[in-house]
């Protein structure tokens, strides 16, 4: 890449960083000739250097957002057929303009197929699935996820496959089709162990615990939560430890071991407070309220329930357990892959 071309990429990156998501769409349309793998490479190199120099959390987050918009979410390697249509689709997805995003992804899908970029094709199919997923059209989402998974499986892109399986599992889970969710999570566990990704393994085990709990197979759920907790403790995944403690507490409560459940929920609550993990704190407080209600201690049940509600209001979350796709970028760049809850 010559110096003049590199300077053009750097100037485009600066302009993109300085503008809002909405403005980025128009900027990308006007600079289509610069949207290619060299732009991605230049952005990645610039990010690694500038984030160290700036040591600015907001700047770093902004750069990571831009990288995600250029890459998409389901790619193990740079896409060869990258296009402005694909990147604009990613920007629209970030802005929750799902119909618009789908339109651009479909255009990008045609381009990826023309240039025989299988990685890009799988990425685009998975992201089209995401546009349906975020609109609760789970059957439609699964249709595209399955096509993407077949490509990732055929090309050996195991990390990409694991990510799309996460979305497929969530879709089945929210349709109460738990047997399918369990099957897909087992495949995620196979991939995690093959790639020696302990974080992915821990999260998949936690998801499996959720699947079994939803099927009312509490003993199997408890086993998964305990395995996940052990790995989370080993790798220092504090928030996941809290989530698993709550799951183990649920098992104790189901067995009528109420005092043991309360002890576990309190452990989770204290850990969440130390981590400033407000969402986990609210969840554990809610579980404590339920446990004290089982004991007939209405005063404590009311107290913990009110504390839980207050935190939920403070952080602005309606506790609906639906994973957000954008969390996938955290896994790609930081080695984390955590369930999160949708904002209302």
């Amino acid at each position: 890449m010559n110096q003049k071309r590199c300077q053009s990429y750097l100037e485009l990156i600066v302009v993109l960083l300085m503008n809002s998501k909405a403005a980025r769409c128009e900027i990308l349309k006007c600079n289509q000739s610069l949207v290619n793998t060299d732009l991605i490479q230049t952005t990645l190199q610039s990010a690694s250097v500038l984030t160290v120099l700036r040591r600015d959390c907001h700047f770093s987050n902004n750069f990571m957002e831009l990288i995600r918009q250029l890459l998409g979410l389901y790619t193990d390697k740079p896409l060869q057929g990258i296009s402005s249509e694909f990147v604009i689709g990613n920007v629209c997805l970030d802005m929750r303009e799902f119909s618009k995003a789908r339109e651009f992804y479909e255009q990008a899908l045609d381009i990826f197929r023309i240039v025989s970029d299988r990685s890009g094709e799988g990425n685009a199919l998975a992201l089209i699935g995401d546009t349906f997923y975020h609109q609760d059209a789970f059957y439609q989402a699964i249709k595209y996820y399955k096509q993407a998974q077949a490509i990732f499986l055929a090309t050996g892109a195991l990390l990409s496959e694991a990510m799309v399986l996460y979305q497929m599992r969530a879709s089945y889970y929210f349709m109460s089709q738990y047997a399918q969710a369990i099957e897909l999570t087992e495949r995620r566990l196979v991939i995690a162990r093959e790639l020696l990704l302990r974080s992915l393994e821990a999260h998949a085990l936690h998801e499996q615990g959720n699947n079994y709990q939803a099927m009312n197979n509490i003993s199997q759920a408890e086993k998964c939560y305990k395995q996940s907790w052990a790995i989370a403790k080993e790798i220092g995944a504090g928030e996941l430890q809290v989530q698993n403690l709550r799951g183990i507490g649920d098992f104790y409560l189901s067995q009528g071991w109420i005092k043991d459940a309360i002890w576990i929920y309190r452990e989770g609550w204290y850990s969440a407070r130390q981590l400033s993990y407000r969402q986990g704190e609210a969840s554990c407080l809610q579980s404590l309220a339920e446990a004290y209600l089982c004991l007939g201690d209405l005063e404590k049940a009311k107290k913990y329930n009110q504390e839980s509600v207050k935190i939920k209001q403070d952080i602005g979350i309606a506790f609906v357990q639906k994973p957000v796709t954008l969390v996938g970028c955290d896994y790609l760049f930081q080695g984390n892959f955590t369930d999160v809850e949708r904002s209302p």
Side-chain angles (χ1 to χ4, degrees):
M1 190 193 318
N2 63 45
Q3 188 62 37
K4 185 176 178 182
R5 190 72 170 171
C6 183
Q7 186 62 34
S8 298
Y9 290 131
L10 289 171
E11 289 172 0
L12 176 58
I13 291 165
V14 170
V15 172
L16 290 169
L17 285 169
M18 290 174 60
N19 281 274
S20 65
K21 292 176 184 176
R24 284 180 188 176
C25 291
E26 294 306 315
I27 294 165
L28 290 162
K29 284 178 185 176
C30 295
N31 292 274
Q32 292 184 41
S33 63
L34 293 174
V35 181
N36 52 38
T37 52
D38 285 338
L39 174 63
I40 293 175
Q41 194 61 40
T42 304
T43 307
L44 288 168
Q45 291 170 351
S46 302
S48 61
V49 173
L50 292 177
T51 50
V52 171
L53 293 175
R54 290 283 295 267
R55 294 185 180 180
D56 181 334
C57 184
H58 176 73
F59 178 80
S60 178
N61 290 340
N62 204 21
F63 231 130
M64 295 311 292
E65 178 189 83
L66 177 60
I67 291 168
R68 185 185 66 239
Q69 289 170 348
L70 292 172
L71 283 174
L73 297 173
Y74 297 90
T75 181
D76 289 357
K77 57 187 178 181
L79 308 176
Q80 298 306 306
I82 193 76
S83 65
S84 59
E85 289 84 359
F86 180 76
V87 179
I88 293 170
N90 292 334
V91 175
C92 291
L93 185 65
D94 271 2
M95 294 192 296
R96 303 186 69 80
E97 295 182 356
F98 302 122
S99 296
K100 217 183 259 189
R102 186 155 55 244
E103 180 183 333
F104 283 108
Y105 285 142
E106 286 169 350
Q107 293 174 34
L109 180 60
D110 290 338
I111 295 170
F112 286 129
R113 283 172 171 164
I114 289 169
V115 299
S116 300
D117 184 344
R118 294 286 278 163
S119 180
E121 184 181 354
N123 208 332
L125 285 164
L127 286 162
I128 292 171
D130 285 349
T131 65
F132 285 111
Y133 172 86
H134 284 294
Q135 293 178 307
D136 294 337
F138 298 123
Y139 281 111
Q140 280 293 93
I142 288 168
K143 171 184 168 186
Y144 285 94
Y145 290 148
K146 282 183 175 179
Q147 294 178 66
Q149 186 203 5
I151 291 172
F152 296 144
L153 191 60
T155 58
L158 293 180
L159 185 54
S160 298
E161 185 189 354
M163 293 176 70
V164 81
L165 284 168
Y166 176 80
Q167 292 299 105
M168 287 174 68
R169 172 261 169 193
S171 299
Y172 280 117
Y173 184 91
F174 296 126
M175 294 190 297
S176 301
Q177 296 183 23
Y178 304 122
Q180 289 91 334
I182 287 170
E183 183 181 338
L184 293 170
T185 306
E186 280 301 317
R187 173 61 185 162
R188 269 168 56 77
L189 280 168
V190 168
I191 292 172
R193 288 161 182 162
E194 185 172 336
L195 296 177
L196 303 178
L197 293 173
R198 297 291 274 165
S199 177
L200 178 56
E201 183 180 0
H203 283 91
L205 282 165
H206 179 77
E207 292 155 27
Q208 199 69 297
N210 290 341
N211 295 335
Y212 280 118
Q213 189 169 21
M215 290 186 75
N216 207 30
N217 188 340
I218 305 300
S219 60
Q220 193 63 37
E222 185 246 1
K223 288 179 186 176
C224 293
Y225 288 137
K226 282 188 172 179
Q227 291 176 55
S228 178
W229 178 83
I231 298 172
K233 186 178 181 183
E234 172 195 324
I235 64 177
E239 293 186 6
L240 186 57
Q241 288 181 62
V242 172
Q243 293 165 22
N244 284 306
L245 284 171
R246 188 175 176 227
I248 295 166
D250 290 346
F251 169 73
Y252 289 154
L253 194 64
S254 73
Q255 300 300 304
W257 305 334
I258 301 174
K259 290 185 179 179
D260 290 326
I262 288 173
W263 185 83
I264 288 289
Y265 290 144
R266 282 188 178 278
E267 284 294 303
W269 177 33
Y270 295 149
S271 297
R273 287 177 68 179
Q274 288 179 329
L275 294 165
S276 299
Y277 176 29
R278 301 282 281 163
Q279 182 176 309
E281 192 178 344
S283 296
C284 290
L285 284 165
Q286 184 61 48
S287 294
L288 276 168
E290 293 167 8
Y292 277 109
L293 190 61
C294 290
L295 277 181
D297 191 335
L298 300 184
E299 185 177 338
K300 283 189 177 177
K302 182 179 179 182
K303 173 192 169 188
Y304 288 124
N305 182 66
Q306 287 175 338
E307 289 182 28
S308 176
V309 170
K310 171 89 168 48
I311 293 172
K312 292 175 188 179
Q313 290 172 340
D314 288 345
I315 60 180
I317 288 181
F319 269 41
V320 178
Q321 300 283 338
K322 289 193 176 183
V324 179
T325 310
L326 296 185
V327 70
C329 71
D330 295 331
Y331 179 74
L332 279 175
F333 297 117
Q334 300 172 20
N336 293 320
F337 200 56
T338 308
D339 286 353
V340 296
E341 294 167 345
R342 277 186 182 164
S343 298

